[in-house]
């Protein structure tokens, strides 16, 4: 094969290789793929917001039911004592004290979910803004690239510029687009990682001693309330039925009439 034929074959090979790479690494398709990935991540964050809000509502309904039972047990204790059934009054107050502890745990869960909901909503807002900004930038780059590509082809058709110039320009365009793509993906990933904080639920040391001391204090409180009821005072109340469950155990424990 002569040198001229070999040079011609190398030129044809480089031209076909460049066109193949352009089809495989079309920056417009790369930008669209990156945008689709960010939209999927945003949808995942929105789904997480909905799930946390659902869990929060479930706890709220459970707390309202506990609040109604809390009030009902107080009324039952007062009615039993009025009928001379101190044993029934004591049993009602014991159940009431146990329920108050359960409500306290529920209040902690409700507060944690409320804080997590606010954090996820903030992440969602920021990620939504980022995705919207990326979409605008993506469409601008695509339009600019398409216009530049058309101009290059027109100029080549008129002036017969060699394919090597086009290869250099395409390589630069692909490199810039890949950098922008990775920056956008990195920003979106940071937001998702930041929203995945877990709450440490492990028990503190000496938790068994704390529980025993709490049980002793609770029994002493029941005895105090029982003595107060014998003196004519009713069990402590906290808010309207159902709606005041968040305030149970938050105010002073002295019985009120």
């Amino acid at each position: 094969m002569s040198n001229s034929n070999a040079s011609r074959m190398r030129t044809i090979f480089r031209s076909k290789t460049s066109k193949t790479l352009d089809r495989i690494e079309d920056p417009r398709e790369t930008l669209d793929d990156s945008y689709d990935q960010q939209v999927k991540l945003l949808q995942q964050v929105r789904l997480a917001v909905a799930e946390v809000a659902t869990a929060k509502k479930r706890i709220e309904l459970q707390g309202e039911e506990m609040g109604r039972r809390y009030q009902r047990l107080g009324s039952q204790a007062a009615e039993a004592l009025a009928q001379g059934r101190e044993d029934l009054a004591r049993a009602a107050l014991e159940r009431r004290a146990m329920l108050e502890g359960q409500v306290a745990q529920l209040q902690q869960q409700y507060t944690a979910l409320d804080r997590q909901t606010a954090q996820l909503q903030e992440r969602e807002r920021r990620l939504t803004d980022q995705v919207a900004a990326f979409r605008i930038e993506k469409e601008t780059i695509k339009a600019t690239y398409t216009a530049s590509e058309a101009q290059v082809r027109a100029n080549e058709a008129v002036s017969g510029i060699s394919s090597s110039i086009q290869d250099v320009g395409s390589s630069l365009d692909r490199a810039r687009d890949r950098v922008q793509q990775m920056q956008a993906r990195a920003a979106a990933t940071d937001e998702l990682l930041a929203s995945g904080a877990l709450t440490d639920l492990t028990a503190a040391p000496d938790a068994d001693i704390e529980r025993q001391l709490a049980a002793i204090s609770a029994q002493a409180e029941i005895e105090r309330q029982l003595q107060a009821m014998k003196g004519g005072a009713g069990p402590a109340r906290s808010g309207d039925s159902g709606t005041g469950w968040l305030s149970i155990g938050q105010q002073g424990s002295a019985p009120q009439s």
Side-chain angles (χ1 to χ4, degrees):
M1 181 181 294
S2 64
N3 292 335
S4 60
N5 288 336
S7 177
R8 181 171 178 272
M9 290 300 296
R10 286 194 296 269
T11 301
I12 294 175
F13 177 78
R14 285 197 301 269
S15 176
K16 291 184 176 295
T17 301
S18 177
K19 292 180 179 178
T20 301
L21 288 175
D22 284 340
R23 286 195 297 269
I24 295 176
E25 300 179 0
D26 190 330
R28 290 161 294 192
E29 294 180 0
T30 301
L31 288 172
D32 287 336
D33 291 342
S34 179
Y35 176 75
D36 291 340
Q37 291 175 5
Q38 292 189 47
V39 170
K40 290 179 181 178
L41 293 176
L42 178 59
Q43 291 174 347
Q44 292 176 4
V45 174
R46 288 174 175 170
L47 180 60
V49 172
E51 289 175 349
V52 173
T54 300
K56 177 184 171 184
K57 186 61 178 179
R58 190 181 303 117
I59 288 180
E60 182 179 352
L61 294 175
Q62 186 177 358
E64 292 175 355
E65 176 60 28
M66 286 183 173
R68 288 189 288 269
R69 185 186 174 199
Y70 185 86
Q71 299 295 336
R72 186 166 57 251
L73 285 171
S75 300
Q76 289 174 348
E79 182 178 356
L81 191 62
Q83 296 179 6
R85 293 295 306 273
E86 182 176 329
D87 56 332
L88 290 180
R90 185 184 301 276
L93 289 177
E94 288 176 350
R95 293 182 184 180
R96 195 171 188 255
M98 182 182 301
L99 183 63
E100 185 172 332
Q102 296 173 354
V103 169
Q105 295 179 359
L106 204 64
Q107 290 170 347
Q108 293 177 358
Q109 296 177 13
Y110 183 86
T111 301
L113 285 176
D114 187 66
R115 181 169 56 251
Q116 188 176 2
T117 299
Q119 292 174 348
L120 284 175
Q121 288 175 342
E122 175 63 17
R123 299 292 190 278
E124 178 192 7
R125 185 192 63 79
R126 293 171 59 185
L127 187 55
T128 298
D129 293 341
Q130 286 186 348
V131 171
F134 179 79
R135 180 179 181 277
I136 296 174
E137 181 69 13
K138 171 182 73 76
E139 295 300 326
T140 302
I141 293 175
K142 286 174 59 179
T144 303
Y145 185 89
T146 300
S148 299
E149 183 182 44
Q151 183 178 359
V152 168
R153 289 179 178 176
N155 291 341
E156 284 181 346
V158 173
S159 60
I161 298 178
S162 66
S163 60
S164 61
I165 301 299
Q166 181 181 7
D167 292 341
V168 172
S170 298
S171 297
L172 290 175
D173 286 336
R174 285 195 296 269
R176 283 192 288 265
D177 290 338
R178 283 187 173 184
V179 170
Q180 293 176 352
Q181 175 192 1
M182 293 305 296
Q183 288 176 338
R185 290 178 62 184
T189 304
D190 287 341
E191 290 297 324
L192 288 179
L193 289 177
S195 66
L198 299 178
T199 304
D200 185 6
L201 300 179
T202 55
D206 305 323
D208 54 336
I209 297 179
E210 293 294 337
R211 286 195 299 270
Q212 295 182 41
L213 291 175
I216 294 174
S217 299
Q219 191 62 35
E221 175 63 16
I222 290 174
E223 292 296 335
R224 191 194 61 74
Q225 291 187 32
L226 190 61
Q227 293 300 322
M229 291 173 62
K230 289 180 179 181
R237 303 179 183 276
S238 56
D240 297 333
S241 175
T243 60
W245 71 278
L246 287 174
S247 64
I248 291 176
Q250 303 302 313
Q251 73 276 8
S253 60
Q256 300 174 0
S257 58

